[in-house]
Amino acid sequence: MLEREIIQTRGFKNTKDENGNVTGFEFRIRNSYYRGAWLSMYRPGDVVVDGVTYPAAETTWVVNGIEYTPAEMLEVEDEQWPIDKAATVKVKKAGGLEMGYHDVEISYRFIMSYIPPIVNSDEAFARMPAKPYTRRMILVN
Amino acid sequence: MANEKIGPKRGVSVYSYTGQFGIDMDLEDAFIEINDLGATGIEILANAHIENYPNPTDEWVDKWWALCNKYNVTPGEYGHWVDSRRRKDHTLDAKESLEMLIRDFKLANRLGFKVLRTKLGVIDDTLTPVENWREFIKMALPYAEKYDVRMCPEIHIPTALKSKMVDDYVEFIEQTGTKYFGLNIDFGTFQNVFPNGRRYPGMPEDGSPCSYPEELVPLLKYIYCCHAKFNEMSEDFKEVTIPYEEILKVLKDNNWNGFMMSEYEGPRRGEAGYVTEQIRRQHVMMKRLLGEE
């Protein structure tokens, strides 16, 4: 089961490569909408941790076990990010984050074809920045 | 069996449990709630409530049927979408849209659904459907017949029953003579009380509702399912924004046969006890209005 908050406590940790080197950090988010959508319809936003911005284009999302850049997601039309499974957001940062509290923030948008384009389109998103999801979380490892 | 009763029947859309599903509620919990209400139909949203959509496992499908049987609930309506703007670079063409429809027809058929709430892409703020809808719906009709499913776009506030959109759909049904395309009426179109003065683009400027219940009569033969939309049930079992008494009287007096799927759209969504109580109040009201024992 998922936590009610969009940003999930479980899964917040530093990312290690096969040699055990810390290459970044990761956290999980649940889908905020009432239905899942094809990956091509999502628009990942920037990640902000403790005031430092990590641009969306430099992050990846792991959905159903497969890791995608935002550009790669645009091409995936037959795979959904559902409402009952969290996606893992990965951010590259040599050495990762320190143990302790961090203020984590992320935003994302998604295209919904049955919502008027005047409020739901890439043009509309550029006009109206997304309200980010935020959570203060503890990193242990 | 209660499910085979002719007339307006009570059901619940799992959409009502948005914000609970996957957090403090699973599919079986939804079935248990529906069974508690003595309701006999379920609406699911394919893209929300089918695990691993669009490719559920055989085990999941077996579980689905086991739940329907255990709780005496009929698969009443299958919500799906034609995601016309699925690609960034173009609107889906007719063939791409058709493929999306056929995939859902097959899955709906496998799960026992005969009525679909088919959500089309829109092009403006009064919810005008995409320009190629006639083309791909017409292409889909033989497949809908093959898989025994009826596509129903939802007539939703601010769309009125007396509108070009509904006229266009009716004209399509009459010209093709099809039994596999119809309407889902969302009771929100009859909303006549607007807390905080909240109105939608394209609504009558004099403050009147989009539609009146008696306007259902000429459309009933094309309506395969309704959304029993509700915003607020009072403690004395009245919906304070939508004239349920008149709506259900029209459906009942005209022997309309189909499911009315509870769709909660009020505040405090996702709050387990609150939404459950709102739905229970609504079903007390509907039982009384239908004269159910």
Side-chain angles (χ1 to χ4, degrees):
Chain A
M1 288 277 179
L2 297 165
E3 298 163 31
R4 186 166 300 281
E5 295 265 346
I6 297 299
I7 300 177
Q8 308 281 301
T9 304
R10 196 181 311 140
F12 180 42
K13 62 182 181 188
N14 281 324
T15 313
K16 289 177 186 157
D17 66 15
E18 57 272 24
N19 302 319
N21 300 317
V22 175
T23 54
F25 61 92
E26 61 190 74
F27 58 95
R28 295 160 72 243
I29 55 174
R30 77 167 173 89
N31 200 320
S32 61
Y33 208 46
Y34 71 89
R35 60 159 279 203
W38 311 104
L39 297 189
S40 56
M41 286 148 61
Y42 290 100
R43 304 288 184 265
D46 296 344
V47 172
V48 180
V49 177
D50 305 327
V52 178
T53 299
Y54 303 88
E58 294 168 21
T59 66
T60 54
W61 284 29
V62 182
V63 184
N64 304 326
I66 301 174
E67 187 168 352
Y68 304 95
T69 64
E72 286 166 344
M73 285 172 72
L74 289 177
E75 298 302 320
V76 181
E77 297 175 73
D78 55 359
E79 184 85 26
Q80 297 229 337
W81 178 28
I83 60 168
D84 58 352
K85 289 190 187 71
T88 299
V89 179
K90 290 189 165 185
V91 180
K92 284 190 189 61
K93 182 184 191 311
L97 298 172
E98 286 181 13
M99 185 165 73
Y101 277 105
H102 295 281
D103 291 308
V104 178
E105 177 179 316
I106 188 171
S107 61
Y108 71 90
R109 307 301 275 268
F110 42 93
I111 295 287
M112 286 294 142
S113 304
Y114 55 94
I115 305 289
I118 191 155
V119 291
N120 185 277
S121 59
D122 287 304
E123 295 72 30
F125 297 160
R127 219 170 43 238
M128 302 177 289
K131 189 173 177 293
Y133 301 104
T134 61
R135 194 166 187 187
R136 189 150 207 246
M137 296 197 295
I138 298 175
L139 183 131
V140 179
N141 203 9
Chain B
M1 215 162 84
N3 306 23
E4 285 151 20
K5 189 183 74 172
I6 301 298
K9 293 179 281 264
R10 294 181 292 117
V12 176
S13 174
V14 182
Y15 170 81
S16 297
Y17 306 117
T18 295
Q20 287 177 255
F21 197 85
I23 296 168
D24 53 28
M25 182 176 203
D26 65 15
L27 191 61
E28 179 153 12
D29 294 323
F31 273 92
I32 293 169
E33 293 224 3
I34 293 168
N35 182 267
D36 274 359
L37 299 164
T40 56
I42 187 169
E43 175 181 9
I44 60 166
L45 305 178
N47 309 44
H49 306 127
I50 297 175
E51 197 176 295
N52 203 34
Y53 173 86
N55 303 303
T57 60
D58 290 340
E59 290 74 26
W60 190 90
V61 175
D62 290 346
K63 188 180 94 175
W64 165 259
W65 281 108
L67 291 170
C68 289
N69 291 329
K70 180 174 178 186
Y71 296 106
N72 190 31
V73 167
T74 299
E77 191 173 45
Y78 175 101
H80 69 125
W81 284 262
V82 179
D83 291 311
S84 305
R85 286 184 267 133
R86 188 178 69 191
R87 280 204 65 95
K88 200 177 167 109
D89 53 6
H90 73 275
T91 302
L92 295 196
D93 64 24
K95 191 166 169 292
E96 291 168 316
S97 305
L98 176 67
E99 284 167 4
M100 208 166 202
L101 286 168
I102 293 172
R103 180 171 57 198
D104 279 307
F105 293 175
K106 290 180 181 171
L107 189 46
N109 176 274
R110 210 170 143 205
L111 301 178
F113 289 95
K114 293 180 184 301
V115 178
L116 315 178
R117 194 265 0 231
T118 303
K119 202 86 168 169
L120 302 174
V122 306
I123 56 172
D124 60 28
D125 63 358
T126 57
L127 310 181
T128 304
V130 286
E131 283 162 15
N132 58 357
W133 73 266
R134 284 182 184 80
E135 193 185 346
F136 63 75
I137 295 291
K138 203 165 182 176
M139 288 158 74
L141 292 176
Y143 296 96
E145 182 170 1
K146 178 178 175 188
Y147 293 107
D148 194 21
V149 290
R150 285 129 205 91
M151 294 172 274
C152 300
E154 180 181 5
I155 307 306
H156 190 283
I157 193 170
T159 305
L161 297 187
K162 286 190 171 173
S163 62
K164 181 174 185 304
M165 192 194 299
V166 173
D167 290 348
D168 285 351
Y169 288 145
V170 168
E171 184 188 81
F172 179 87
I173 295 165
E174 291 177 347
Q175 279 180 358
T176 56
T178 186
K179 300 262 184 256
Y180 297 93
F181 183 81
L183 301 172
N184 167 313
I185 305 299
D186 183 293
F187 292 170
T189 191
F190 306 114
Q191 183 173 341
N192 56 10
V193 173
F194 295 87
N196 310 319
R198 189 183 171 214
R199 306 275 290 178
Y200 296 80
M203 287 192 70
E205 285 178 12
D206 63 1
S208 56
C210 293
S211 310
Y212 293 94
E214 60 270 21
E215 294 167 1
L216 281 166
V217 176
L219 298 172
L220 287 174
K221 57 179 179 282
Y222 305 130
I223 300 171
Y224 296 118
C225 193
C226 289
H227 273 163
K229 168 63 53 64
F230 69 115
N231 299 305
E232 185 185 345
M233 288 296 308
S234 64
E235 279 184 18
D236 58 349
F237 308 109
K238 302 253 191 321
E239 214 296 335
V240 302
T241 67
I242 296 169
Y244 264 78
E245 191 169 345
E246 294 168 54
I247 300 166
L248 266 58
K249 187 172 188 325
V250 169
L251 295 177
K252 199 170 171 238
D253 289 355
N254 290 280
N255 301 313
W256 179 75
N257 182 36
F259 278 111
M260 303 179 297
M261 299 295 186
S262 288
E263 210 187 55
Y264 179 63
E265 201 84 88
R268 298 170 68 179
R269 301 176 55 87
E271 199 177 313
Y274 189 81
V275 174
T276 302
E277 178 164 340
Q278 283 283 310
I279 295 174
R280 284 173 183 249
R281 288 180 188 178
Q282 189 207 22
H283 280 252
V284 168
M285 172 184 71
M286 293 200 292
K287 269 189 87 167
R288 285 179 177 165
L289 293 175
L290 293 171
E292 277 183 46
E293 292 305 315

